[in-house]
Amino acid sequence: MGCGVSKFCSGSEPERSNLGLTSSGVNDRIGEGNNDLPQFREFSIETLRNATSGFAAENIVSEHGEKAPNVVYKGKLDNQKRIAVKRFNRKAWPDSRQFLEEAKAVGQLRNYRMANLLGCCYEGEERLLVAEFMPNETLAKHLFHWESQPMKWAMRLRVALHIAQALEYCTAKGRALYHDLNAYRVLFDDDSNPRLSCFGLMKNSRDGKSYSTNLAFTPPEYLRTGRVTPESVMYSYGTLLLDLLSGKHIPPSHALDLIRDRNIQMLMDSCLEGQFSNSDGTELIRLASRCLQDEPRERPNPKSLVTAMIPLQKDLETPSHQLMGIPSSASTTPLSPLGDACLRTDLTAIHEILEKLGYKDDEGAATELSFQMWTNQMQDSLNFKKKGDVAFRHKNFANAAECYSQFIEGGTMVSPTVYARRSLCYLMNEMPQEALNDAMQAQVISPAWHIASYLQAVALSALGQENEAHAALKDGSMLESKRNAL
C-alpha cells in the first residue's frame, strides 16, 4: 500500500430513486421489497455485545438514552455492517418462543421504505432485535429540534409519502398493526431518505402498552379498549401529518379545533411561508382530518393515502440529502490531518501522527491491571511494549508488531493505542485483515475513539470494501468532531 488516492474517496453507489414513483404509483421494486438484505437470522448475545462495544453508553441512540425502558444501540458486525440493536427490558418477553415467533414474522418483511429487521437474540433473559442502522437521526430531531435549517415543504411531503408506502407494504404483507407511530419512528438513511422503523411492528413487551406517548395523541378507541387496530394506525398517521404541517407535536383535539374554526394559519409552521400553495396545504389538512376521525371506519386506508400523496410531491428530481441540507453519503467533508491521511491511505503520515500522539489517548480508557501487576510478568510485558515502541519509532514495523503481540498476549494490561499501533504495522506489511481486527479491538476497548474508526477505514479500503471504508471514515470524523467540541 502506498500513499496514492484511495478509491473510497470517490464515494458510494449513486443514490436510488428518492420517490420510487411510476405513472401507476409505487415502483415495483419498492412494492416487492429489498432483496439486497440478508435473510432474518438469530444472533448470539456475545456477537451483539462485541458489536456494541459491550453495550457502551457511547453507542446509545435512543432518544431517551439509558432511561428508556428499551434501549437502542448502534453497533457494527464483524463484516462491518452497521446495525441498530434494541435491547428490551428483562421482563418484557418472558416467553422466548413467543418473542422469536413475533420477531421472525416481522423479519420476513423487506422494503426500501423501512429500516428492516435483520435478526434477533433470545439467550437467557436477553431479548434483542437487530435492524438496519439509519445514520441521519429521527424525524423528531429534524422537525422539532433542528439546528441549521427547518425541514422544507417538499421534504415533509416526501416523508408523508414514504411512510404511507411503508404502511401500505406492511398491510399487503399481513402486518397492518404498527404500535405508536410517531416522529421518533421515522428515520433517515445514508441518503437522507425517510424510512419507517421496523421496531414499531412489535409491541414493547408481550403484555405491554402499545402507546408510550402522551394519551392526548392516542386513538380514541385505544383509550376504550386498549387494543390497536389497523384503523388506529391511520389515526397515528394523522398525528404525524399534523407534526409535518405544524413543526410541533400538537394534540389532535387542538388541531381539529383550529381546523373547524378555519384558523389554519395558527396550525401551519411559520417556517414554511411561501413554500406551498393554498390548495396543497388544504389537501394535506383534509387528509389529516380524515385520519383523525373519531369513528375508525371513516378513516382512509394506506393505499388511498399513497394515492392521495403522490400528486402532491414536489422537487421530484432533488435528492433528499439536498432538501435536508445534509452531506450525502458520497460527499466528503473537511477532514483533520489524520482523517485526510487515512482518506489518502498515506501510511507514512499516519505513522507520524500516531508517533507524535504517543499514549495520550489511553488516559481514561478501560485499562485493566491484573493482581500480578508488580510481578516479573508485568515487568516483562512492559519491556515488550517499550521494545515495540522503539521499533515503531524507527519504522521497523515487523519487529514492532511482534513485540506488541507479546505485550498483548501477556494479558496484564489493555491498551487501545497498542492495538492501533499494531494495526498500522500490519498495514505497512500488507496484512489488512489483521489490521482491521486490531482496529476493531481498539474500538471495543475505547468505543468513542476516532483513531480506531480511521484505521478501520484504511484497512477496509485495502480489503476492497469501499462503501464500508467510507462509512468508517465518516464515523471517525464524527467522533473526532465530538471530541474536539468537548
Side-chain angles (χ1 to χ4, degrees):
M1 289 184 59
C3 45
V5 177
S6 164
K7 287 182 289 182
F8 75 85
C9 66
S10 63
S12 57
E13 300 172 4
E15 181 177 304
R16 295 189 181 96
S17 167
N18 278 308
L19 298 177
L21 304 181
T22 64
S23 57
S24 61
V26 183
N27 182 294
D28 288 341
R29 184 173 65 173
I30 299 296
E32 287 302 316
N34 185 344
N35 296 320
D36 298 338
L37 290 173
Q39 289 189 326
F40 180 92
R41 58 173 280 205
E42 294 168 24
F43 290 87
S44 70
I45 188 65
E46 182 183 6
T47 296
L48 299 183
R49 191 172 280 120
N50 289 338
T52 58
S53 300
F55 299 106
E58 295 91 333
N59 286 329
I60 293 176
V61 291
S62 307
E63 298 289 341
H64 304 294
E66 291 176 286
K67 295 180 181 178
N70 305 305
V71 182
V72 181
Y73 299 83
K74 65 178 178 180
K76 196 183 292 182
L77 298 173
D78 286 345
N79 64 2
Q80 295 302 293
K81 182 169 185 62
R82 291 177 296 167
I83 55 173
V85 180
K86 181 172 182 176
R87 192 181 197 186
F88 287 92
N89 180 294
R90 290 184 180 277
K91 297 178 181 177
W93 293 90
D95 186 339
S96 61
R97 185 172 54 186
Q98 187 182 30
F99 174 77
L100 177 61
E101 287 173 0
E102 280 284 303
K104 272 186 174 178
V106 176
Q108 301 309 305
L109 305 179
R110 289 288 181 268
N111 191 269
Y112 285 120
R113 294 297 182 244
M114 295 173 58
N116 295 282
L117 192 65
L118 304 177
C120 72
C121 172
Y122 56 99
E123 286 185 26
E125 292 185 338
E126 291 285 2
R127 305 286 182 265
L128 305 102
L129 297 177
V130 181
E132 292 181 279
F133 178 65
M134 301 289 114
N136 284 315
E137 304 192 85
T138 66
L139 176 62
K141 175 69 185 292
H142 293 293
L143 206 53
F144 309 143
H145 312 294
W146 54 271
E147 294 169 3
S148 56
Q149 67 173 49
M151 187 178 287
K152 295 179 179 176
W153 177 249
M155 193 65 214
R156 299 185 194 206
L157 292 171
R158 192 169 294 178
V159 169
L161 173 62
H162 281 210
I163 301 311
Q165 287 175 330
L167 294 173
E168 181 189 13
Y169 169 80
C170 292
T171 300
K173 293 294 183 180
R175 300 292 301 189
L177 299 187
Y178 193 94
H179 305 275
D180 204 11
L181 175 62
N182 58 55
Y184 295 98
R185 300 286 202 185
V186 179
L187 311 170
F188 292 87
D189 64 18
D190 287 278
D191 295 316
S192 301
N193 287 320
R195 300 213 208 177
L196 180 65
S197 168
C198 64
F199 292 152
L201 291 164
M202 280 184 68
K203 289 188 291 188
N204 280 335
S205 66
R206 183 189 63 179
D207 304 312
K209 293 180 180 178
S210 294
Y211 286 84
S212 59
T213 51
N214 190 303
L215 291 180
F217 297 89
T218 57
E221 67 275 11
Y222 178 78
L223 295 176
R224 292 193 298 269
T225 67
R227 291 179 60 247
V228 175
T229 65
E231 293 78 20
S232 308
V233 182
M234 292 300 93
Y235 186 93
S236 296
Y237 181 85
T239 68
L240 198 63
L241 289 182
L242 292 181
D243 292 344
L244 292 166
L245 284 162
S246 66
K248 300 184 288 288
H249 200 37
I250 181 169
S253 58
H254 178 51
L256 291 172
D257 286 343
L258 292 174
I259 294 168
R260 277 191 285 268
D261 295 341
R262 300 186 182 280
N263 197 352
I264 306 303
Q265 286 301 110
M266 289 291 290
L267 178 63
M268 299 300 292
D269 190 340
S270 60
C271 296
L272 295 172
E273 192 171 343
Q275 292 188 35
F276 61 93
S277 66
N278 285 338
S279 60
D280 284 353
T282 301
E283 175 61 11
L284 210 61
I285 288 170
R286 186 186 72 82
L287 283 173
S289 300
R290 286 184 60 206
C291 291
L292 295 169
Q293 292 294 311
D294 271 346
E295 182 55 54
R297 291 177 303 177
E298 295 177 6
R299 299 171 197 157
N301 59 38
K303 189 172 184 177
S304 65
L305 287 174
V306 171
T307 301
M309 287 305 310
I310 286 175
L312 297 177
Q313 299 303 305
K314 310 293 180 190
D315 297 337
L316 301 186
E317 300 304 316
T318 306
S320 293
H321 72 85
Q322 285 186 21
L323 289 176
M324 295 281 283
I326 296 174
S328 77
S329 59
S331 67
T332 55
T333 52
L335 293 169
S336 67
L338 177 58
D340 182 62
C342 291
L343 175 66
R344 294 182 290 109
T345 62
D346 186 343
L347 302 185
T348 301
I350 296 170
H351 173 259
E352 289 176 4
I353 293 169
L354 289 186
E355 174 61 27
K356 190 176 295 183
L357 179 67
Y359 285 82
K360 186 174 71 175
D361 283 351
D362 274 16
E363 296 170 14
T367 303
E368 298 173 5
L369 300 176
S370 77
F371 290 111
Q372 300 166 313
M373 61 181 297
W374 300 116
T375 67
N376 291 337
Q377 185 182 351
M378 180 63 181
Q379 192 58 52
D380 288 344
S381 289
L382 290 174
N383 285 338
F384 283 130
K385 176 180 161 298
K386 287 177 184 176
K387 287 178 183 177
D389 289 343
V390 171
F392 188 80
R393 187 180 313 120
H394 290 98
K395 303 181 182 179
N396 185 348
F397 297 111
N399 190 31
E402 188 177 335
C403 291
Y404 288 143
S405 295
Q406 289 175 300
F407 168 77
I408 290 168
E409 288 162 11
T412 54
M413 222 174 139
V414 177
S415 164
T417 299
V418 166
Y419 278 104
R421 287 184 168 214
R422 191 173 69 168
S423 176
L424 182 60
C425 291
Y426 284 143
L427 286 168
M428 289 288 190
N429 286 288
E430 299 184 354
M431 299 167 68
Q433 185 59 57
E434 290 82 356
L436 177 61
N437 293 343
D438 272 4
M440 291 176 67
Q441 187 58 42
Q443 194 153 51
V444 168
I445 301 166
S446 192
W449 197 32
H450 59 289
I451 291 175
S453 291
Y454 280 144
L455 288 170
Q456 287 174 47
V458 181
L460 286 162
S461 182
L463 289 165
Q465 296 177 239
E466 306 301 339
N467 289 343
E468 292 81 1
H470 186 87
L473 188 78
K474 194 173 178 181
D475 287 346
S477 180
M478 181 188 67
L479 289 170
E480 188 173 18
S481 297
K482 283 184 178 178
R483 182 192 185 99
N484 292 338
L486 294 176

